[in-house]
Amino acid sequence: MPDVSVWMNTPYDWILLFGCALLIGMSKTGIQGITTLVIPLMAINFGAKPSTGLILPMLCFSDLIAVFYYRRTAEWSYIFKLLPSAIAGFFWH
């Protein structure tokens, strides 16, 4: 488990992180453009590289929740067409 105490020094940092997670969740429900507020807030508070490392898991987790929620109406043929490229890209780096 990585040590996050380097970035999370104050309660304000935790509040900002959970608030940004809430805004990312709201952007997945249909409020477009709200993520543009999250990125500068995180970059100002945590820096460019750490904010990327904090935002990316939030986006991935919200995508997993969306897939779980909409699994019955998902177009699985599109996902299966994109899956080989995604796996190749994962192992390519």
Side-chain angles (χ1 to χ4, degrees):
M1 188 77 162
D3 182 24
V4 295
S5 64
V6 176
W7 304 308
M8 305 295 190
N9 295 327
T10 64
Y12 171 75
D13 295 336
W14 286 101
I15 291 169
L16 181 70
L17 183 70
F18 288 121
C20 288
L22 179 70
L23 291 175
I24 286 174
M26 289 171 60
S27 73
K28 294 290 182 180
T29 61
I31 302 174
Q32 300 296 322
I34 204 163
T35 308
T36 57
L37 298 173
V38 171
I39 295 168
L41 284 173
M42 294 287 282
I44 288 170
N45 197 37
F46 299 111
K49 286 185 181 182
S51 67
T52 304
L54 291 169
I55 290 174
L56 185 62
M58 286 191 277
L59 290 171
C60 293
F61 188 69
S62 63
D63 286 341
L64 286 174
I65 291 174
V67 167
F68 179 73
Y69 186 77
Y70 293 109
R71 69 186 177 276
R72 293 188 182 139
T73 58
E75 293 288 336
W76 292 103
S77 62
Y78 296 143
I79 294 171
F80 291 135
K81 285 179 187 176
L82 294 172
L83 195 58
S85 300
I87 293 171
F90 178 74
F91 289 112
W92 184 267
H93 79 284

